[in-house]
């Protein structure tokens, strides 16, 4: 029999149960009305502040970590520079960055800022040897073409992933700090009284104490060696280098005098040349090798090796540190000023002899000005001659 329809009273009794079951039934999308009402309520402000504080704390910890690594890089750079050796990128990664190798650029920039503001120095990447030789072989024509077209050298080719520390002080500041001052000399004499021992550093009354900071004698020999290489077409055979050093009082059996700050009072000339190779100021390679790469390199020949053929088989060049720290232009000016000053001394001696034989009125300012003008012209002429001897325009530090 068909089921009879419920009466009105039965429908009214079942209504509360239906409404209750509908309220418990989940809405479309899997969420019920109670959850929707809870989502409409605003979140607690404390939770938002905790999220903000947490992100700020993480950011502060990250900045502090970068600053710490930058300080470690500064200390490593100063320690490496004290030994006059180049700082390698792999050493920075191993000793400073660790597993955070991707932060190199950020840490390097922060370390540069510390070095510049605190020490007046900067980290400079050395040129690769292959790039430098290819660029020198290209000559001035390629450089003129680059200047005319506005094309610059590719920075990616220049880098060698090795760095040195270089001063950022203005040359005018260094020159002023090298001027002797009587009051400063008196104060230095009180702190460092002069004795009979030649090893005691002397005071000159200058802000920069050259006598105690650098090996001046060894530094002078280095500049002379760089000058000899430069004016011989940027390369010089071992036989010619030693012959020139012998004329200057440094034979094969000679030695370079060091100050009391060195562990040795003097170094044999061969040992000193090896030290310059290790520091990157000069380089030695075998003649006839592949100069663009793979040329045979080694230690300086021993002083007892007198065979001219063996000596002739090697040649000396500038090292990458000399290009970045000293520069060809500075060495060229050093040679030109020395030669012009020497010529002026000879002329002054001749003038004194003439004055003794033929007394004349006191020289006026006009004659002195003409001499200064002549000296400037001679200096320019001398620099041009050095460029011709070097085989091209002299480059500045890079």
């Amino acid at each position: 029999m068909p089921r009879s329809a419920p009466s009105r009273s039965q429908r009214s009794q079942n209504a509360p149960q239906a409404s209750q079951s509908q309220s418990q039934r989940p809405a479309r999308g899997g969420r019920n009305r109670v959850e929707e009402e809870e989502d409409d309520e605003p979140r607690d402000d404390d939770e938002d502040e905790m999220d903000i504080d947490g992100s700020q704390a993480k950011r502060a910890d990250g900045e502090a970590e970068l600053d710490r690594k930058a300080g470690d890089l500064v200390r490593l750079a100063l320690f490496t520079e004290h030994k006059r050796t180049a700082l390698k990128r792999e050493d920075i990664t191993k000793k400073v960055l660790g597993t955070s190798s991707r932060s190199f650029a950020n840490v390097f920039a922060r370390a540069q800022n510390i070095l510049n503001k605190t020490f007046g120095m900067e980290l400079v990447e050395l040129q690769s040897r292959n790039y430098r030789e290819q660029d020198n072989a290209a000559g001035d024509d390629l450089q003129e073409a680059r200047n005319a077209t506005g094309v610059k050298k590719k920075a990616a080719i220049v880098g060698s992933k090795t760095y040195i520390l270089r001063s950022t002080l203005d040359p005018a500041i260094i020159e002023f700090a090298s001027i002797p001052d009587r009051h400063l000399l008196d104060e230095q004499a009180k702190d460092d009284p002069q004795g009979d021992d030649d090893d005691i550093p002397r005071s000159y009354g200058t802000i920069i104490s050259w006598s105690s900071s650098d090996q001046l004698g060894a530094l002078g020999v280095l500049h002379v060696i760089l000058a000899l290489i430069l004016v011989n077409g940027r390369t010089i055979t071992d036989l010619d280098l030693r012959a020139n050093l012998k004329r200057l009082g440094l034979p094969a059996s000679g030695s370079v005098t060091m100050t009391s700050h060195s562990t040795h009072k003097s170094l044999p000339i061969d040992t000193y040349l090896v030290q310059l190779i290790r520091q990157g100021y000069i380089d030695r390679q075998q003649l006839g090798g592949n100069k663009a790469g793979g040329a045979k390199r080694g230690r300086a020949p021993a002083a007892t090796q007198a065979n001219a053929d063996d000596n002739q088989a090697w040649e000396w060049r500038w090292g990458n540190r000399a290009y970045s720290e000293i520069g060809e232009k500075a060495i060229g000016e050093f040679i030109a000023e020395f030669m012009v000053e020497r010529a002026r001394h000879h002329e002054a001696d001749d003038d004194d002899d003439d004055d003794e034989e033929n007394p004349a009125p006191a020289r006026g300012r006009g004659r002195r000005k003409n001499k200064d003008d002549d000296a400037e012209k001679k200096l320019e002429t001398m620099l041009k001659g050095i460029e011709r001897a070097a085989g091209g325009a002299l480059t500045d530090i890079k």
Side-chain angles (χ1 to χ4, degrees), residues 16-29:
Q17 296 179 358
S19 62
Q20 183 177 1
S21 62
Q22 290 176 0
S23 64
Q24 294 176 353
R25 186 181 304 157
R28 292 181 180 179

Side-chain angles (χ1 to χ4, degrees), residues 184-205:
L184 184 59
L185 179 61
D186 295 338
E187 294 297 326
Q188 290 178 349
K190 294 178 183 178
D191 298 335
D192 185 21
Q194 298 292 332
D196 297 333
D197 191 355
D198 293 336
D199 292 337
I200 297 178
R202 297 179 180 178
S203 301
Y204 297 99

Side-chain angles (χ1 to χ4, degrees), residues 209-229:
S209 181
W210 297 107
S211 59
S212 59
S213 60
D214 284 304
Q215 302 287 344
L216 293 185
L219 192 62
V221 175
L222 167 62
H223 280 67
V224 170
I225 292 174
L226 293 177
L228 291 173
I229 296 174

Side-chain angles (χ1 to χ4, degrees), residues 92-103:
I92 298 175
T93 302
K94 180 180 179 181
K95 299 178 181 179
V96 176
L97 301 179
T99 57
S100 305
S101 57
R102 294 184 178 181
S103 61

Side-chain angles (χ1 to χ4, degrees), residues 70-85 87 111 114-116 118-123 163-166 321:
D72 292 341
L73 177 54
V74 169
R75 285 189 288 271
L76 179 62
L78 292 173
F79 176 77
T80 307
E81 177 61 23
H82 182 71
K83 299 188 298 181
R84 279 292 197 274
T85 55
L87 177 60
I114 297 173
L115 287 168
N116 192 11
T118 307
F119 300 99
M121 306 182 78
E122 64 177 349
L123 277 169
Y163 306 86
I164 63 168
L165 277 180
R166 186 172 68 189
R321 188 185 185 102

Side-chain angles (χ1 to χ4, degrees), residues 138-339:
D140 297 335
D141 295 337
L142 178 59
Q143 186 60 39
E144 292 177 0
R146 286 172 176 164
N147 296 336
T149 58
V151 177
K152 296 182 179 180
K153 302 176 184 178
K154 294 182 179 180
I157 305 177
V158 180
S160 61
K161 294 184 179 181
T162 55
Y163 306 86
I164 63 168
L165 277 180
R166 186 172 68 189
S167 173
T168 59
L169 296 178
D170 191 282
I173 298 177
I174 299 177
E175 183 177 357
F176 180 80
S178 303
I179 299 176
D181 181 83
R182 173 57 60 181
H183 298 289
L184 184 59
L185 179 61
D186 295 338
E187 294 297 326
Q188 290 178 349
K190 294 178 183 178
D191 298 335
D192 185 21
Q194 298 292 332
D196 297 333
D197 191 355
D198 293 336
D199 292 337
I200 297 178
R202 297 179 180 178
S203 301
Y204 297 99
T206 58
I207 297 175
I208 298 179
S209 181
W210 297 107
S211 59
S212 59
S213 60
D214 284 304
Q215 302 287 344
L216 293 185
L219 192 62
V221 175
L222 167 62
H223 280 67
V224 170
I225 292 174
L226 293 177
L228 291 173
I229 296 174
L230 182 64
V231 298
N232 279 274
R234 294 186 170 96
T235 60
I236 187 172
T237 62
D238 186 77
L239 183 63
D240 291 337
L241 175 63
R242 293 178 183 277
N244 282 280
L245 291 178
K246 184 177 181 180
R247 295 190 189 99
L248 296 173
L250 275 176
S253 59
S255 60
V256 178
T257 304
M258 313 297 284
T259 65
S260 59
H261 295 274
S262 177
T263 55
H264 303 280
K265 291 186 177 181
S266 62
L267 289 178
I269 184 62
D270 290 295
T271 304
Y272 182 62
L273 291 174
V274 172
Q275 177 176 294
L276 294 180
I277 294 175
R278 185 174 64 253
Q279 293 173 349
Y281 286 108
I282 57 177
D283 194 12
R284 188 188 70 122
Q285 67 182 32
Q286 191 174 22
L287 284 172
N290 184 10
K291 298 180 180 180
K296 186 176 180 181
R297 303 169 67 188
R299 304 185 67 181
T304 57
Q305 191 176 8
N307 192 333
D309 294 335
D310 292 340
N311 291 335
Q312 189 73 24
W314 296 90
E315 66 179 6
W316 296 90
R317 296 169 175 265
W318 278 34
N320 50 8
R321 188 185 185 102
Y323 280 100
S324 297
E325 184 178 299
I326 302 174
E328 292 180 343
K329 184 176 291 186
I331 292 296
E333 292 174 353
F334 162 72
I335 301 171
E337 290 174 359
F338 172 77
M339 298 299 294

